[in-house]
Structures are given as C-alpha cells and as structure tokens.
Amino acid sequence: MSHTSTDPLAFPGVYQLEQGASINSEQWFRFTDAVKEAFWLLPAQLRPYKQLGFDMNRASELFDEEGSVTFNHKDSAGYCCNPFYLRQTLSDNFQTYRKVESQRCRQDLFVRIVLVLLHNICPGSYHITSSCPQSWRFAQRWLAWNMDMFTKAPEDIPASFVIPGAVEHLLLVKTSGPGKQITTEEWEAISGIELWLVQQHDD
C-alpha cells in the first residue's frame, strides 16, 4: 500500500484496513449475522460502545441502513478513541483506507473478532494488517471455541508462535459467555499475558 510504511507499527492494538471491493449481499448478510452472534457471546464488559460512547445494548446497533458497521471503544481513562468503521459498498465518496487504534482496550478483542470474520466471510473485500499479527491467534481460537468457526488469519502468523494450552483455556473461559463478569484489571491481565507471549516469541 503506497500510503503506509513497510516498517511494523509501533503499538499493539493498531489495525489498518483498506477496502478493495464491495461486499455482495449474501456475504454481507452472513458477516452481519456472525458479528451479532459474537456480540452476544462476549461478556458485556468486552462489547463495543456506540459512536458517542454510550452503552450498546443491542447487536443491531452496530449496523445502519446504508450498509456500514460503526462502533467505538474507550481507552483506560474512559475516553472514546477513533471509532471503528467499515462499509459494504466501495464508493468514491468514502475513504478506502482506515486506521483503528484500540490499543489493547477492553473492546480490542471484539475488533479482532470482527476483522477475522470480515477476512473469512468477505474474502478480498478488505486488506487487513495488524501491528501485532500474532494477536489474530486468540481471536481465531475464540471463534472456534464459541462459534465453531475455524478461520484463517488476515496475515501470516509465525508457525512457532503458540499460546500454551492451559493459558489459552483460561483466557477463553474468562472471555466467553454473556453472563461472565470481567473487570478492567482482569482484561489488563489478559492483554498483558498476550503481549508477554508475543515478546517471548520475538526474543
């Protein structure tokens, strides 16, 4: 992509997506249906916010009639970050390139899940990269555990990178189920474990 550097991004939880084609109606329906299911399967504390930062109580609030997905996330101080936004239809009226910086906030897992679903259900529509490609692994495992979906990551993940089985099980149990409660401190621990595993691999 001509507008981006070939150097890796500096911070985890930063995603770049560039729309290359419109998404057909059948794929869009399957994608929105899967995103809604994932929304309800997450603990409430890991779900996204509305664009202005209000709680989102229904999965249908993620979508509008014009064929777009929009939601927000908050940083550790409770301030809204740049909203997540993608469209079904490629249009000259909208910028094709977007950058999302969730930076490991509590909604970061949902961002990853949405992007993995987009890559698998709507192949070729968006080119997606992450500042930490290894982080796709946990989103993939979450989808397999909760939705019986076995997916491909948007980018290559080093074959040697693994999340130890007992650790993975703990993370999956804690982040799965609408009745689960997860505090900010618990999410920071989960996010910290993921980052530590990546750093061990990089060393």
Side-chain angles (χ1 to χ4, degrees):
M1 299 184 340
S2 58
H3 48 70
T4 61
S5 169
T6 55
D7 296 327
L9 298 170
F11 302 103
V14 180
Y15 310 95
Q16 297 182 93
L17 45 157
E18 184 170 16
Q19 189 169 13
S22 295
I23 301 169
N24 68 49
S25 297
E26 180 185 354
Q27 289 177 337
W28 184 251
F29 176 79
R30 289 174 52 220
F31 170 67
T32 57
D33 203 42
V35 170
K36 289 176 185 177
E37 183 178 355
F39 176 93
W40 288 118
L41 290 171
L42 278 168
Q45 295 84 359
L46 300 185
R47 294 176 189 161
Y49 296 94
K50 296 180 185 179
Q51 192 165 353
L52 296 178
F54 298 107
D55 288 344
M56 190 175 286
N57 299 312
R58 299 188 305 274
S60 59
E61 294 174 311
L62 290 160
F63 308 97
D64 65 23
E65 295 178 356
E66 296 179 356
S68 66
V69 182
T70 307
F71 60 86
N72 217 326
H73 38 277
K74 295 183 179 180
D75 62 19
S76 57
Y79 292 103
C80 285
C81 306
N82 62 322
F84 180 98
Y85 177 77
L86 63 85
R87 288 182 56 82
Q88 177 186 4
T89 305
L90 182 62
S91 170
D92 292 336
N93 298 325
F94 294 92
Q95 185 180 13
T96 58
Y97 167 76
R98 296 176 186 85
K99 184 177 181 180
V100 180
E101 300 184 50
S102 56
Q103 296 184 2
R104 298 166 58 218
C105 71
R106 285 187 296 171
Q107 291 72 45
D108 178 62
L109 178 58
F110 186 72
V111 172
R112 283 183 270 165
I113 289 168
V114 169
L115 291 175
V116 171
L117 288 171
L118 179 67
H119 177 70
N120 283 268
I121 298 174
C122 312
S125 60
Y126 280 83
H127 176 70
I128 304 166
T129 58
S130 169
S131 56
C132 182
Q134 291 93 329
S135 67
W136 298 124
R137 178 76 76 217
F138 184 56
Q140 289 180 279
R141 292 295 300 126
W142 190 94
L143 286 164
W145 173 280
N146 287 280
M147 296 171 60
D148 201 28
M149 290 184 68
F150 297 90
T151 56
K152 295 180 180 180
E155 302 170 88
D156 289 336
I157 301 172
S160 57
F161 177 74
V162 295
I163 303 175
V167 173
E168 180 182 81
H169 182 80
L170 269 172
L171 300 185
L172 288 168
V173 167
K174 192 62 187 174
T175 59
S176 301
K180 294 284 174 61
Q181 298 293 315
I182 182 166
T183 66
T184 300
E185 291 76 17
E186 288 170 328
W187 171 255
E188 288 175 352
I190 291 168
S191 186
I193 289 169
E194 284 196 274
L195 182 59
W196 182 82
L197 289 169
V198 170
Q199 290 172 336
Q200 298 307 301
H201 176 269
D202 289 344
D203 291 344

